Amino acid sequence: MDFLKLPEILNIPPKLYPFIFRFNDYSYFLLEGGRASGKTQSVARFLLYIMEMRRVRICCGREIQNSINESVKTVFLDLIDKYNLIYDTTRDSIAHRKTGSKIF
C-alpha cells in the first residue's frame, strides 16, 4: 500500500492501514500495540478526516474516562491546530463548522 498517496492527516504507521482501508468491512476494530505505538493518534486523525468529508456524530470513549476533557481531547485539539482545520470546541464537544460533525 506504499504506492497510495494519502492526505497528510492520514500519515499513520503502515501496520494500522487496515483500519483505514478496511473500515467499512467491519463493525469493530481492535488496535493493539504498546505505549507510543500510534493507536490514539491514528484513530484521532482518521476521525477528523471522516468529519471533514461527511456529517457524523461520534461518541469518543476509552477504558477510563469521565469526560472528553479527561481523555483524548488534547490529541484532537493538537491535530486541529497542526492542520489548521475548521472546528469549534467546547468543554464537552468538538464540532466541524462546515459539515456539522460532532465528537462528544
Side-chain angles (χ1 to χ4, degrees):
M1 297 201 196
D2 292 330
F3 59 90
L4 296 174
K5 180 69 174 154
L6 296 173
E8 187 179 354
I9 195 167
L10 293 180
N11 183 15
I12 66 170
K15 69 179 181 178
L16 296 175
Y17 284 175
F19 172 64
I20 291 175
F21 295 115
R22 304 208 51 213
F23 184 76
N24 290 321
D25 295 345
Y26 301 99
S27 297
Y28 300 98
F29 281 87
L30 173 64
L31 301 180
E32 296 180 302
R35 291 181 62 120
S37 63
K39 298 179 305 291
T40 299
Q41 274 281 329
S42 297
V43 171
R45 288 168 176 268
F46 187 57
L47 293 178
L48 290 172
Y49 178 75
I50 289 173
M51 291 173 70
E52 292 267 317
M53 301 296 132
R54 63 183 64 158
R55 185 177 186 166
V56 294
R57 297 182 78 194
I58 300 167
C59 176
C60 182
R62 292 182 84 173
E63 188 174 342
I64 298 174
Q65 171 184 314
N66 292 322
S67 71
I68 192 172
N69 250 358
E70 295 178 9
S71 182
V72 295
K73 186 175 183 185
T74 303
V75 174
F76 284 110
L77 296 179
D78 288 348
L79 289 169
I80 289 167
D81 185 51
K82 179 178 180 175
Y83 294 104
N84 199 28
L85 304 174
I86 54 170
Y87 286 86
D88 290 321
T89 61
T90 65
R91 184 177 155 272
D92 299 319
S93 67
I94 300 170
H96 192 273
R97 290 184 198 157
K98 273 188 180 175
T99 64
S101 291
K102 195 172 203 177
I103 297 175
F104 59 94

